[in-house]
Structure formats: C-alpha cells, structure tokens
Amino acid sequence: SRRPPSAVILTPPPPPPPLSLPVSAPSTQIPPRLHGRPRAGHPARLRLPRRGLRLPGRPRGGARLLRPRPRRESPPSSLLRLCLSGLASSPHAHVHFWCLQSLHDALLRRRIALPDDLALLRSSLLSLASASNAASPPFLRNKLAQLVALLVRLDYPHVYPSYFLDLLPPSPPQSGPTDMFARVLISLDDDLLSQDYPRNADETADACRVKDAMRAQCVPQIARHWHDAAATLGAADPPTAAVALDAARRCISWIDVALVANDVFVPLLFDIALSPASAAPLAAAAVGCLSAVAAKRMDARAKVALLRSLLSAQQGLGSPDSGLKMASLVTTYAVEALACYRKLGPSDADGAAALEMLEEVLPAVFSAAESCYEEDVDSGSVLEFLAGYVSTMKAPSEKQLGHLGRILEVVRQQMTYDPVYRVHLDVLDKIGKEEEDMMAEQRKDLVALFRNICRVAPAATQQFIKGLIVTALSSAEATVEDVEVTLTLLYRLGEAVSEEEIRTGSGLLGELVPMLLSARFSCHSHRLVALVYLETVTRYIKFMQENVQYVPHLLAAFLDERGIHHQNSHVSRRAGYLFMKAVKLLKAKLVPYLDTILQSLEDVLGQFTSMDWANKAAKLSSSEDGSQIFEVHCPSVSIA
C-alpha cells in the first residue's frame, strides 16, 4: 500500500533489524482439575481456587501454588530498537511522538546507559535532526529538540564533543536545519541553561560545563549563523528567521556580547525591527535581541560605552515612533542608563553621559508607556523605571519638570477605566465589581508614583490637575472615565499634602477646592463620578474651617442631586454618611444654615421612616444604609 505524502514526518537512517522475540502458540488443553461442568446454554467456565492453582499430578497435601510472577520489563536495548524502528517505519505522527517521548523518559531515568546504545541513539537522533523537514509538525520537532538537548546535557563535551558542530546548518542557511538547530538551543535553554528557573546543584554544574565548552568551541560560528539566518531567511521564511533570533536572544546573556553588538549585526537587527515589511514575530524577535544586548550584565563604564554604541547605530532611538515599535528595547535602555547614572553619579563623566542618553530616549519611553495596553509592552517595567527616575530628582530643572508632566499624563491614562465597562460600573453588577476590584489593584503602584511626583514637584502637580478640572468642566462631552480619574487624582493630591495646607489653601488649593465645590459635571448621574466627587469634597472639608464663605457650596454639594438627593440609592446613602462626618467637624459653623439643612432632609427622613426595615433587601452596611441622616438631624437640633 502507498503511504500518504503527509504521513512521512521524520526520515532516520535504516534501523537495525528488530529483535526476534519467540512467541509460543497458546495451548488449548485445560488441566483436568480445572474442568467445570457447564450449565445448559452456557460454555464451560474455569473454577479457580482462591489461593492459587495446584499443579496437576501433585498430591493434595504437598501441592504448590502458582503465584503471579512480577512483570519483566523489556531490556533497554529492545526499547531503543523498537522506538527507532517505529520512527523509521510508522507513517503516523502520534507514533513518532510516542517513540520520542519513550526514548526521552528512558534516557532521563538512565535506563539507556550502555555505550553502544547511547552511540546508536546519538547517531540516529543527530541524523533525524539534520534531515528534519520544516513542514513536519512543530510538536514533533520540539520533542526531538528536547531529546537532543537532554543528550547534550549528559554527553557534552566529555563523551561527544561535536554536537553543535554536527547540528550547525551549512551556509547559506536552509529553513529545515535552521529551524531544528534553533529549537535545540531553545530546549537546552529552557531545560538547563536559563537562570530564570530554579536549578539544583547538579543542573547548575551541568549548565556551567555546557556553556564553558560552547564558548571555547563553537559560539562564534553559531553567532555567525544567526546573522546569516536573519539576513537570508528574513524575507524568504520569516517564521524560521524569528525562531533563530529567539534562540540568539536566549544566549546573549552568557556569550561574548561583541559577537552580536557589532557594526554588522546591530544595524541588521534595527533594520528588521523598524522595517514596515517585517513580519510582526520577526520584528519582535529582533527587538528582543537588541533588548538582551542592552540588558547584558557588565561594568557600569563598559555598559555606558555599549549604550552609546546602540544610540549611534540608531539615531532615532528616542523618537516616539521607536517607542511604539521597540517598546521593550527603549524601556530596557532607559533602565540600564538610569542604573549607570546611579552607580557613577552626576559628577562622573560617564555618569553624566548616562543621564544625557537617558533623557534622549525618554520621549520614546513615554510613547511606550502611553501604549501599555499593547501586548508587547510590559507596563510593570515601564512604571518601575518611571518611579526610579522620579526618585532621582531633588530640585527638578525646567526640562525635568516637562518630563514630570508627561509622567503625570501616563499616570492619568493608566488610571482611567475602559469605557466598555461604563454601564456595568454604574449598576455595579458582577462584571462591574470585578473591574472595580481590578482597577483598585492596578492603581496601587500608580498612586505611589503620583505621590512621589507630588513630593518632588507639588506646584507642577497642582497645575496639571487644575488643567484637567478646567477641561472637564468646560466640555459638555467629558466622559465618565475622564471625570472620574480627574476627581481621583484631586482626591490623591489631598492625601499627599498636609492638613495645614488644606486648611489655608496653599498653592493652587485655594482655587481647586472652590472649583470642586461648585462643579456640576454632565455625567454626574453616574455612580462612579458621584461617589468619587463626594469622597473628594469630604477630603477637603477642613478648607471650610478657614474659609467659611464656601460652607453654602459645601451644603449644596451634599444636599442637592449630587449628594443625598442623587437618583442612585447607594450614592444617596453614602452621601448621608459623609455629610454626618462634615457636620461633626464643622459644628457651630453650620448654625446659620440649620433651616436649610432641616428642610433639605425632611423628604429624605420621610422616606426612611416609611421603609420596611424587616426586609433583608433594605439592610446594607453601616456606612451605606442611610441611617446617618438621623444622626445628622439630631446634632443639627442640638446645635440649634
């Protein structure tokens, strides 16, 4: 029968003939003592004694029992030949995978240990890898690469020193061998070489042995192959070129960086990363290689020289376009430049140069930070760098104040809700609750960064928030999300300043608080906006202790449709709780307005007295049930 063309996955050399295992014909004779008397319509059944079988012809008293013998495992050589035969003869991919997995398990457990068996396995696998077809299923190529990587760990270089020289594809690179060689390096990195995973002492020793041998023997040839693969296959076979560069990225941390960071390789990587014609996986792999070069561990002065060479190779590295296309690179570059500046200090020439290079790429970093919703941007790394950069400032210059303004904008964008959840957040259903909890967790680091900026540049921060409030009040199209984040930042500003500054209205607070009290946003009916508005007003209540002329505005904010009379019952009840706190704090300053307060609360008190409090649906938490309205009413009467 003819095999289907797609069924031939891997083509190893002809295996040795399989072992001839004799098989005896099954006996049909039943021992006399085992005969049973069949019932009508039923075949004869074997009646077995409970304690075993007695051998026929033995006396009853001295009968021996036939007990089951332990199952004998096949010899390792038999398993090896069986699997190699299956790889050569079976047309089914799942059989190939089973054979490779069985060989991997046997080798990992050291069941294949005889030198002749290991030599046969090694030659067969190297032949399979060298002749691997790029069209074969990826899961088979990955499993073969994993098995070869395990052999490298066990044999290289003391038993078989030419693994990599045998596997290294000839020039010019072809897709199949290049893909297989890259997968072997990736598997070796995952299973042994990478320091991103915890390793025991034996694994660490094996990794050091393999790395040292590769550095001494074949790393320059491998680096040259990576360059040729990227240059030759970048247009003809982008997926294979991307896999080759991914393997290069993994190795850059422990090879001589000059093999990649040179005048030939780096310009090629930049061309691939920035070219509109490059496939997305290939461009990402090139950016990954450049990021690994920038992150290479070395002395601070040597790192400054390396960063300078990268900046010379790509003059537009600091442009916003670079931030969008090479987000991980510009972020890594900025982090490394900041680390060099901290180590060397501003008085050192190289330290000052590191700061200059850092500020040159900041526009690209800001562009990357503002696009943190993209999958290839690590928002955590970006925020960590921005926090570190702000912490280095003592007395910001005009240029640095401009950078702080960009960072504040990044904070605002990252703290803004997605409009998709607007309705869910208003009614606070399950989806809205999950989004609210997720945003609360996401905002923790952002709030810490915002407070640091408030500490370093309080005037610039207040000016930034004032601009946001003016924009929100002047635009009838201000969205719920924009107003909510504006009020949240104003609330966080109140946490960063002292109570004395709030009371006296220092800085721009004397303008911001009155603007807040009189604000009526077009989206004030939304639950999120109404709640954060009331919380922010409460944060600045002490401002009214020194500025009593704004007490009517405060009362209006709590007593009209923005507060206790809000259409949302949760907002209304929360407003009652917050108003109780305001009454307790201001006390005698509210005497002139008692009639206004009591008249405004009359209808609300009537609603609560008519409610069925035995109903479980009416029972809420102590700060949300609205009963504080009575506490507000009683102090008002006592003041009068």
Side-chain angles (χ1 to χ4, degrees), residues 20-31:
S20 178
L21 300 178
V23 180
S24 301
S27 176
T28 58
Q29 182 180 4
I30 301 177

Side-chain angles (χ1 to χ4, degrees), residues 24-54:
S24 301
S27 176
T28 58
Q29 182 180 4
I30 301 177
R33 294 182 182 273
L34 302 182
H35 282 296
R37 180 175 297 177
R39 291 183 296 173
H42 293 273
R45 294 183 301 170
L46 302 182
R47 300 184 182 275
L48 303 180
R50 291 186 179 183
R51 296 188 178 182
L53 303 179
R54 286 193 294 271

Side-chain angles (χ1 to χ4, degrees), residues 76-77 80 106-119 121-122 151 154-155 159:
S77 298
L80 173 62
L107 189 62
L108 189 63
R109 296 178 178 135
R110 305 300 176 95
R111 292 192 58 231
I112 301 178
L114 295 178
D116 291 343
D117 290 343
L118 288 173
L121 177 62
R122 183 188 310 117
L151 273 176
L154 299 177
D155 289 353
V159 176

